[in-house]
């Protein structure tokens, strides 16, 4: 592969611009699904694109008391981290652009960088709502991160490799979902926690703290954060589909599996009431982590036997 | 923990508030340790305005105090003025007044159900409740011609009649709504995600309810058996006895249950009233000038006791009209209940009293560097003139 095609693959397709567009389309599908479940019409297909266009056109302001440098660089770092993470993933059913031993762990940590950036952005914005929001973002990060990582490493344990392509090959014949259903459920729920999707949206609960950590952002900064979140949504769905749903072999396979996952998340969104941040934390530590450890114990016993 | 107090301001503009009010919550971590409220952002001077309008015009003005419980304001006013004039509305008018009151209670409680669900982050219930509320709005529009300020009342009676068509429409509507409300009752009682936000949250004890003087569903959810429709029947409520819905636990769940059960009770009353609608006139003749005197009139609004004081000097305009809306009585409970709760519970505790800010704003105070100061009417007028003069100067320069 020459430099030009590699560059095109990173910037345009399947990573880069295509990933962002994919994220916006999935965002629309999510909003539309939830709207239909709530007996509403929902937005038209171009609404997320229109939102982004509007945000990029808007004036970029820095609030009083904010740290100028961090306030403006954090959105860029967040988006860069997510776009980098996507390079290790079988986006759109195509083989990952980069693959090496341990890329699974790198991916998970790059995705966490997004959450860290949002938390930090809240801290440096200098508003009361953003500070409370930042505290909640970081609390939630510590709550779901351990179960999330353990849930993603469950399939790795079976394949005895931490390399995504190898795990997919090893698990292509049998869906891990069948043998590790607990891990699957926890992976999906922690992804919702990571993306701050309802009911785990305490960090941005609008009726309490306006928009949480990102309250002071508007214009391009907010657009970058939102794009990073959409890209993280697609990356997370791809990751779970690749690990639990028997890998991703083709674009059709990719669409089918990720959309089913998206439908599950939209349903959870529609039927559940928002958890308070202390309830979220206790849910993950009391149930998520313990169930995950039990699942691991079972896998290890099965492998040993 | 720093010694500095961390205050989270909510309002005057905030997504949790649909109307302006200002709250300051001191938090330690997520726990609220102190709460303060400042009201008065939507003061409209309606009480004063009544003094320069005729008795008839005031019915329409006062109806506009609240956009949700508009009928009860006009009703309380009309009942008071009729009492002063010694006129009694005909029986058919009295039943129609009670009928519209109950329809209004239903749409108000369904609206509240949606708002409370939204504050808890359960938007699906919000959307469903408001969809069902639309049926009541339709019924009210068919009956009175208006969706919000129905103007069903006139001095001495009502202006709209209930025809057989209306009766059929309303019966159909309450039949479908009664199923929906049963469903919401089961959701509120059994949905575990919702219960963990309502069960045992914002608990108002019976003693607190008594000492804070809360009224309406908030009081009834804390075991205070109090309902003006039963305690001091007005309109046609003496002929249609109301079963007062009470819950004992005093928490948010109890407020959901009380309001939902009240809707079922409203449905029962509406069906009963439609079946036993007396024949006769809709209006009694009212004099243009009301003889001198003063009176009070109280009705049970969806949010609690609504109080009117009306004074006449014998002219064709009132001398004084004083209104106390239920939100004012219930507001103190928000401040008391907030302390010790999580910040996340505050919007729900606030929504739990079903606040209506512009209805309860009526103080004439100005915050000056010397502190709060009560102004006379002449001083307020001068203050207004000076304020706009200063603004004009600023715009000119």
């Amino acid at each position: 592969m020459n430099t030009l095609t590699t560059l095109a693959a990173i910037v345009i397709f399947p990573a880069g611009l295509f990933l962002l567009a994919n994220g916006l389309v999935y965002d629309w599908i999510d909003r539309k699904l939830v709207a239909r479940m709530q007996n509403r019409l929902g937005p038209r297909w171009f609404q997320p694109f229109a939102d982004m266009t509007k945000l990029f056109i808007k004036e970029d302001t820095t609030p009083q008391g904010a740290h100028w440098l961090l306030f403006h660089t954090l959105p860029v770092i967040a988006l860069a981290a997510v776009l980098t993470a996507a390079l290790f993933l079988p986006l759109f059913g195509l083989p990952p652009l980069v693959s090496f031993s341990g890329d699974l762990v790198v991916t998970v940590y790059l995705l966490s960088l997004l959450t860290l950036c949002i938390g930090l952005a809240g801290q440096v914005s200098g508003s009361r709502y953003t500070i409370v929001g930042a505290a909640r973002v970081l609390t939630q990060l510590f709550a779901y991160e351990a179960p999330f990582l353990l849930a993603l490493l469950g399939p790795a344990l079976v394949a005895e490799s931490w390399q995504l392509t190898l795990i997919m090959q090893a698990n292509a014949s049998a869906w891990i979902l069948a043998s590790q259903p607990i891990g699957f459920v926890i992976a999906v729920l922690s992804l919702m926690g990571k993306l701050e999707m309802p009911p785990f949206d305490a960090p941005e609960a609008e009726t309490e703290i306006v928009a949480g950590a990102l309250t002071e952002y508007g214009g391009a900064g907010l657009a970058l954060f939102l794009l990073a979140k959409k890209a993280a949504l697609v990356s997370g769905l791809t990751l779970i589909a690749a690990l639990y749903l028997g890998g991703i072999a083709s674009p059709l396979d990719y669409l089918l599996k990720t959309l089913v996952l998206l439908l599950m998340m939209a349903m959870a969104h529609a039927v559940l009431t928002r958890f308070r941040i202390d309830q979220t934390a206790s849910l993950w530590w009391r149930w998520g982590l313990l169930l995950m450890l039990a699942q691991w114990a079972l896998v290890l016993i099965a492998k040993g036997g | 923990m720093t010694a500095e107090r961390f205050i989270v301001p909510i309002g005057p503009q905030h997504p949790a508030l649909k109307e302006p009010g200002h709250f300051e919550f001191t938090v330690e971590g997520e726990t609220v340790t102190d709460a303060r409220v400042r009201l008065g952002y939507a003061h409209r001077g309606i009480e004063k305005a009544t003094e320069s309008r005729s008795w008839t015009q005031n019915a329409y003005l006062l109806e506009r105090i609240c956009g949700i419980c508009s009928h009860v304001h006009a009703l309380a006013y009309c009942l008071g003025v009729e009492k002063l004039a010694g006129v009694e509305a005909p029986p058919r008018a009295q039943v129609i007044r009670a009928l519209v009151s109950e329809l209004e209670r239903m749409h108000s409680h369904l609206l509240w159900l949606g708002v409370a669900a939204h504050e808890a982050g359960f938007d699906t219930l919000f959307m469903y409740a408001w969809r069902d509320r639309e049926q009541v709005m339709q019924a009210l529009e068919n009956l009175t011609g208006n969706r919000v300020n129905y103007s069903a009342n006139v001095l001495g009676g009502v202006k709209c009649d209930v025809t057989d068509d209306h009766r059929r429409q309303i019966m159909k509507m309450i039949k479908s709504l009664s199923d929906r409300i049963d469903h919401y009752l089961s959701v509120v009682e059994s949905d575990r995600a919702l219960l963990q936000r309502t069960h045992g949250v914002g608990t108002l004890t019976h003693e607190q309810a008594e000492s804070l003087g809360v009224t309406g569903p908030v009081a009834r959810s804390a075991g205070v058996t109090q309902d003006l429709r039963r305690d001091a029947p007005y309109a046609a409520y003496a002929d249609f006895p109301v079963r007062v819905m009470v819950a004992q636990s005093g928490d948010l769940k109890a407020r959901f249950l009380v309001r939902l059960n009240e809707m079922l009770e409203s449905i029962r009353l509406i069906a009963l009233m439609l079946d036993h609608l007396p024949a006769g006139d809709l209006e009694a003749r009212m004099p243009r000038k009301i003889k001198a005197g003063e009176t009070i009139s109280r009705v049970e609004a969806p949010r609690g006791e609504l109080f009117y004081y009306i004074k006449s000097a014998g002219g064709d305009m009132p001398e004084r009209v004083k209104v106390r809306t239920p939100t004012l009585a219930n507001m103190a409970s928000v401040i008391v209940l907030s302390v010790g709760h999580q910040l996340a519970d505050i919007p729900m505790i606030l929504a739990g009293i079903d606040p209506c800010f512009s209805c309860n704003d009526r103080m004439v105070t100005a915050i000056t560097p010397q502190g709060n100061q009560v102004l006379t009417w002449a001083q307020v007028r001068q203050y207004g003139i000076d304020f706009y003069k200063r603004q004009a100067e600023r715009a000119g320069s």
Side-chain angles (χ1 to χ4, degrees):
Chain A
M1 203 188 282
N2 64 40
T3 327
L4 211 61
T5 45
T6 314
L7 209 61
I10 293 175
V11 178
I12 298 168
F13 180 87
L17 287 177
F18 178 77
L19 175 65
L20 296 181
N22 192 345
L24 291 178
V25 172
Y26 272 38
D27 179 44
W28 171 73
I29 294 174
D30 178 50
R31 283 167 69 177
K32 190 82 180 170
L33 283 172
V34 173
R36 294 309 297 149
M37 285 180 227
Q38 291 181 341
N39 198 45
R40 292 185 286 123
L41 280 178
R44 284 188 284 177
W45 67 269
F46 55 80
Q47 189 61 51
F49 294 91
D51 288 348
M52 286 304 134
T53 314
K54 188 195 86 174
L55 283 177
F56 274 114
I57 292 170
K58 273 178 80 170
E59 183 190 0
D60 212 13
T61 55
T62 315
Q64 261 180 4
H67 189 294
W68 192 91
L69 188 67
L70 280 175
F71 189 80
H72 289 284
T73 47
L74 280 169
V76 181
I77 297 173
L79 184 60
V82 178
L83 290 178
T84 313
L87 300 181
F88 310 112
L89 297 171
L91 285 175
F92 204 56
L94 304 171
L97 291 167
V98 186
S99 183
F100 58 90
S101 176
D103 55 5
L104 176 59
V105 179
V106 175
T107 312
V108 172
Y109 274 91
L110 282 173
L111 287 178
S112 297
L113 201 54
L114 162 68
T115 320
L116 276 175
C117 284
I118 294 177
L120 258 181
Q123 278 300 339
V124 302
S125 292
S127 144
R128 289 160 211 263
Y129 303 122
T130 65
I131 290 170
V132 177
R136 289 188 183 181
V137 167
L138 296 178
T139 312
Q140 186 148 313
L141 174 76
F142 286 114
Y144 71 74
E145 195 63 23
F148 186 54
L149 189 60
L150 290 179
L152 294 182
L153 293 186
L157 208 59
V158 178
E160 291 181 346
S161 162
W162 282 11
Q163 188 168 356
L164 211 53
T165 40
L166 293 184
I167 303 174
M168 289 203 329
Q169 274 166 23
N171 300 333
S173 50
W175 286 23
I176 300 285
L177 170 61
S179 57
Q180 301 187 26
I182 301 173
F184 172 71
V185 171
I186 287 175
V188 173
L189 288 181
S190 358
L191 180 62
M192 294 182 72
K194 178 185 276 301
L195 299 169
E196 292 168 11
M197 282 169 81
F200 303 112
D201 59 342
E204 50 182 67
E206 72 152 15
T207 51
E208 299 151 30
I209 47 172
V210 190
L214 300 185
T215 303
E216 294 294 337
Y217 276 91
L222 181 62
L224 291 177
F225 265 127
L226 292 181
L227 279 174
K229 275 195 180 181
K230 315 297 180 220
L233 169 70
V234 174
S235 306
L237 291 174
T238 312
L239 200 56
I240 295 176
L243 292 176
Y244 276 95
L245 303 180
I248 295 174
S250 66
L252 188 66
D253 205 19
Y254 161 82
L255 282 177
L256 216 62
K257 284 170 180 169
T258 49
L259 285 176
V260 167
L261 285 174
L262 192 61
L263 176 67
M264 286 174 56
M265 284 163 66
M267 281 165 86
H269 173 176
V271 299
L272 288 170
T273 310
R274 175 164 58 232
F275 288 82
R276 267 191 339 235
I277 190 70
D278 57 316
Q279 289 167 343
T280 311
S282 83
L283 181 78
W284 288 120
W285 284 109
R286 277 206 203 127
W287 293 103
L289 196 65
L290 286 183
L291 283 173
M292 208 50 240
L293 287 175
Q295 172 90 75
W296 267 53
L298 283 176
V299 171
L300 287 174
I301 290 166
K303 277 189 83 74
Chain B
M1 194 59 63
T2 53
E4 200 185 338
R5 300 196 313 155
F6 190 83
I7 296 173
V8 177
I10 298 209
Q13 276 80 40
H14 190 279
L17 302 172
K18 310 304 175 240
E19 291 176 82
H22 183 67
F23 298 85
E24 283 179 356
F25 295 106
T26 309
V27 293
E28 269 178 31
E30 285 274 326
T31 312
V32 175
T33 56
D34 190 23
R36 282 158 49 99
V37 60
R38 204 198 132 196
L39 300 170
Y41 289 91
H43 176 65
R44 292 166 293 172
I46 287 183
E47 282 179 4
K48 191 70 197 170
T50 57
E51 292 164 24
S52 52
R53 279 164 179 78
S54 75
W55 292 100
T56 312
Q57 285 174 324
N58 278 333
Y60 301 98
L61 175 65
L62 290 167
E63 187 156 33
R64 277 151 182 79
I65 287 181
C66 183
I68 309 296
C69 40
S70 53
H71 174 75
V72 287
H73 280 276
L75 179 58
Y77 172 74
C78 289
L79 287 172
V81 176
E82 284 159 19
K83 209 191 294 177
L84 273 180
V87 174
E88 196 158 343
R92 189 175 175 86
Q94 300 283 21
V95 177
I96 293 176
R97 282 175 170 180
L99 180 75
V100 177
S101 292
E102 290 311 308
L103 284 171
E104 181 177 73
R105 192 178 318 279
M106 285 180 70
H107 102 70
S108 174
H109 282 359
L110 278 169
L111 176 123
W112 175 84
L113 178 67
V115 171
H118 173 65
E119 304 286 3
F122 191 10
D123 279 358
T124 309
L125 181 57
F126 167 38
M127 299 295 166
Y128 276 61
W130 280 37
R131 179 191 66 182
D132 296 334
R133 171 173 176 262
E134 201 53 37
Q135 299 181 42
V136 192
M137 304 295 280
Q138 283 288 340
L140 280 166
E141 189 182 357
N142 287 336
L143 187 61
T144 64
N146 294 313
R147 277 167 61 87
V148 180
N149 298 305
Y150 328 112
S151 308
N153 287 292
V154 289
L155 289 175
V158 291
K159 67 150 205 219
C160 57
D161 199 6
V162 177
T163 63
D164 283 344
D165 261 359
H166 293 137
R167 190 196 310 249
R168 266 194 302 277
Q169 275 169 357
I170 295 175
M171 289 307 269
K172 203 173 133 205
M173 184 270 296
I174 58 177
K175 199 162 165 291
S176 90
L177 266 187
S178 132
D179 293 343
R180 298 299 305 165
I181 293 164
D182 280 337
H183 173 64
Y184 295 141
L185 264 175
S186 76
V187 168
V188 166
E189 274 175 334
S190 63
D191 186 274
R192 289 187 54 187
L194 184 62
L195 274 179
Q196 66 177 4
R197 299 296 308 276
T198 60
H199 188 69
V201 175
T203 306
L204 189 71
T205 62
H206 190 277
E207 291 72 39
Q208 280 177 320
E210 296 267 4
S211 69
L212 291 171
V214 298
T215 81
V218 183
R220 291 195 282 276
S221 70
V224 181
T225 317
Q226 170 216 71
D227 192 322
L228 284 175
R229 292 176 292 167
R230 187 202 62 174
D231 302 338
Y234 53 92
Y237 285 111
D239 303 328
F240 299 94
V242 178
R243 288 191 299 230
V244 181
M245 296 299 157
V246 182
Q248 299 303 327
S249 56
D251 55 1
L252 285 170
K253 182 190 165 197
R255 291 179 208 166
F256 272 95
L257 293 179
V258 164
R259 288 199 173 91
L260 284 166
N261 281 318
E262 271 180 19
M263 276 194 266
L264 291 179
E265 176 65 9
S266 291
I267 286 177
R268 187 185 71 85
L269 286 171
I270 289 169
L272 212 61
M273 287 172 190
L274 286 175
D275 281 345
H276 298 88
L277 204 58
D281 287 340
L282 290 178
E283 278 178 60
R285 198 167 159 69
M286 282 290 283
R288 194 174 63 84
K289 288 185 176 174
I290 306 293
K291 55 181 181 260
E294 55 184 356
T295 187
I296 60 164
S297 126
R298 300 186 299 163
V299 299
E300 185 74 19
R303 291 167 176 74
E305 177 184 330
L306 174 67
F307 173 96
Y308 265 69
Y309 165 82
I310 303 164
K311 185 178 178 192
S312 169
D316 54 2
M317 293 178 193
E319 177 82 0
R320 174 85 173 100
V321 176
K322 157 94 188 113
V323 186
R324 195 203 69 167
T325 54
T327 304
L328 198 62
N330 289 338
M331 196 53 91
S333 73
V334 174
I335 298 308
V336 173
L337 291 182
S338 301
V339 176
H341 275 94
Q342 300 268 305
L343 186 61
D345 292 326
I346 300 304
M348 290 212 64
I349 291 173
L350 182 56
I353 67 162
D354 201 357
C356 183
F357 292 101
S358 31
C359 312
N360 81 50
D361 286 347
R362 59 180 45 74
M363 290 290 280
V364 187
T365 62
I367 310 270
T368 60
Q370 290 83 41
N372 285 14
Q373 182 190 354
V374 180
L375 301 183
T376 65
W377 182 244
Q379 283 172 311
V380 174
R381 189 164 172 274
Q382 194 54 46
Y383 180 86
I385 292 169
D386 292 344
F387 177 83
Y388 284 107
K389 210 179 270 170
R390 278 201 305 276
Q391 250 192 355
E393 275 164 18
R394 213 172 302 144
S397 63

